[in-house]
Amino acid sequence: MSASDEERHGVRLTHLDQELFSGAGVSKRDLVDYLDAVADRVLPALADRPLSVMRVLRGQEAFMQKNLPKYTPEWVPRTRMWAESSRRTVTYGLCNDRRTLLWFGNQRAVELHPALTRVGQDGPAELIMDLDPPEGAPFGVAVAAARLVRRALADVGLSGALKTSGAKGVHVFVPLDAGQSFADVAAATRAVGVRAERLDPDLATTAFIREDRHGKVFLDSTRAGGATVAAVYSPRIRPGAPVSFPVRWADADAVMPTDFTVRTAPGLLGGTDPWAEELPAPQQLPADLVAEGYTIPVARVAAMHEGKRRAKARRESSAEE
């Protein structure tokens, strides 16, 4: 074992002094130390959820890994599920304990993207709105759009918690009662997005096609079904290794995503878990909100048809010239 290697919680940790990824400004040791420090807070967000991870191996581009590699230790919990995106059965890891979390860290699994559902559960555990501001926009516009989502939720008797995405946007999470279907939750998410857009159409948009957003914050209502989202407290593959971090609604105007990194977050947390404190109790989706959502086209499908229509129009225009 080299000087930069060690064993912790039954996991052999290797090459800890190497830079985590190009431009990270932090080492692999920083990642492992961070995961160890926040394990009690991040594990509840990962437990029993099929886990996809973004890994960065030395000298390579980051890649998403769903299937556990063949060399995965037998003690890592796992589940086999059908992945619609890849049209195959995938063996996902289940990050249910500190030992498994550190093993993923040693694999340079920087980003943790759990499924929206738990093993044995038929529907999503949360309704999620992903708010994506345009490149270069101040973070405050994402917060302002999140407040629109909060108002739209409140109008139908729902409440949610806010966190930074760890990148340039924010996520709003609405915990749900068990037994609500993927289709119903997806429909309700579309309805919340449209209602939030209606509150301030100059600020926010549900337009899935980027060129149609015109510098507005994108209210992404597609985090449903087989989608994943960066877990709370998950690091991100960005300079400085920022992390997705809970933000109290009252404090949202006073923070920046770069305030929360693998080096700073543990000290900011102290002995607290703001995500557990901020998350409301699970809620039932109102039937009228779900019904409204079914009248709204699915964004990806609508965008696909619109893209084909525009491509055809361009071809016909070129032929006429």
Side-chain angles (χ1 to χ4, degrees):
M1 187 177 294
S2 73
S4 68
D5 296 354
E6 64 180 70
E7 185 170 311
R8 200 182 307 183
H9 301 290
V11 180
R12 185 186 176 191
L13 306 170
T14 58
H15 309 298
L16 291 175
D17 294 336
Q18 292 177 354
E19 187 176 33
L20 186 57
F21 53 86
S22 179
V26 299
S27 67
K28 184 177 172 183
R29 183 184 299 278
D30 290 319
L31 172 67
V32 171
D33 286 347
Y34 169 75
L35 294 175
D36 205 5
V38 303
D40 291 341
R41 301 172 182 86
V42 72
L43 286 172
L46 304 177
D48 292 327
R49 296 181 188 241
L51 182 64
S52 301
V53 295
M54 287 289 292
R55 296 176 64 194
V56 188
L57 304 185
R58 291 186 67 196
Q60 297 184 24
E61 294 294 320
F63 64 96
M64 177 70 82
Q65 179 176 289
K66 298 177 181 291
N67 238 341
L68 284 177
K70 293 181 180 179
Y71 56 78
T72 302
E74 292 182 1
W75 46 261
V76 171
R78 64 202 69 195
T79 187
R80 288 173 59 81
M81 290 181 60
W82 177 258
E84 191 64 36
S85 58
S86 55
R87 306 295 299 173
R88 63 190 176 113
T89 299
V90 173
T91 301
Y92 290 93
L94 298 174
C95 194
N96 293 349
D97 55 79
R98 185 183 301 263
R99 188 184 187 192
T100 301
L101 182 64
L102 294 187
W103 179 82
F104 273 112
N106 192 57
Q107 298 298 305
R108 294 178 181 267
V110 180
E111 299 191 6
L112 309 170
H113 293 255
L116 307 186
T117 189
R118 300 181 181 93
V119 173
Q121 184 174 322
D122 292 332
E126 301 95 6
L127 179 155
I128 298 172
M129 289 294 300
D130 181 0
L131 285 73
D132 183 21
E135 203 65 46
F139 182 63
V141 300
V143 171
R147 295 194 190 283
L148 299 181
V149 171
R150 190 187 192 197
R151 284 173 55 192
L153 291 169
D155 287 345
V156 293
L158 297 173
S159 58
L162 178 70
K163 70 181 182 73
T164 67
S165 68
K168 57 187 174 71
V170 295
H171 298 147
V172 178
F173 271 54
V174 181
L176 299 177
D177 289 332
Q180 299 176 81
S181 71
F182 282 106
D184 282 358
V185 175
T189 309
R190 293 194 296 274
V192 170
V194 167
R195 285 175 173 233
E197 177 184 33
R198 196 180 300 139
L199 290 171
D200 190 346
D202 292 330
L203 170 66
T205 179
T206 57
F208 191 81
I209 299 175
R210 191 176 298 274
E211 64 190 53
D212 292 345
R213 297 175 193 170
H214 306 298
K216 303 174 186 179
V217 177
F218 175 42
L219 306 176
D220 185 355
S221 60
T222 65
R223 300 297 182 180
T228 64
V229 67
V232 66
Y233 303 117
S234 171
R236 303 302 300 269
I237 303 172
R238 293 204 163 215
V243 304
S244 178
F245 201 83
V247 178
R248 294 179 176 86
W249 286 105
D251 301 334
D253 292 319
V255 303
M256 293 290 291
T258 50
D259 294 341
F260 314 112
T261 72
V262 297
R263 285 181 172 166
T264 64
L268 294 171
L269 288 168
T272 68
D273 183 355
W275 191 238
E277 296 167 6
E278 288 296 299
L279 273 179
Q283 299 150 85
Q284 185 72 30
L285 292 173
D288 56 345
L289 183 73
V290 174
E292 178 184 338
Y294 277 111
T295 69
I296 301 169
V298 176
R300 293 183 188 276
V301 175
M304 179 185 67
H305 291 307
E306 178 61 15
K308 290 180 178 178
R309 186 195 67 78
R310 293 183 187 185
K312 180 181 178 182
R314 286 193 293 268
R315 290 195 298 271
E316 291 175 348
S317 177
S318 297
E320 293 172 357
E321 292 177 357

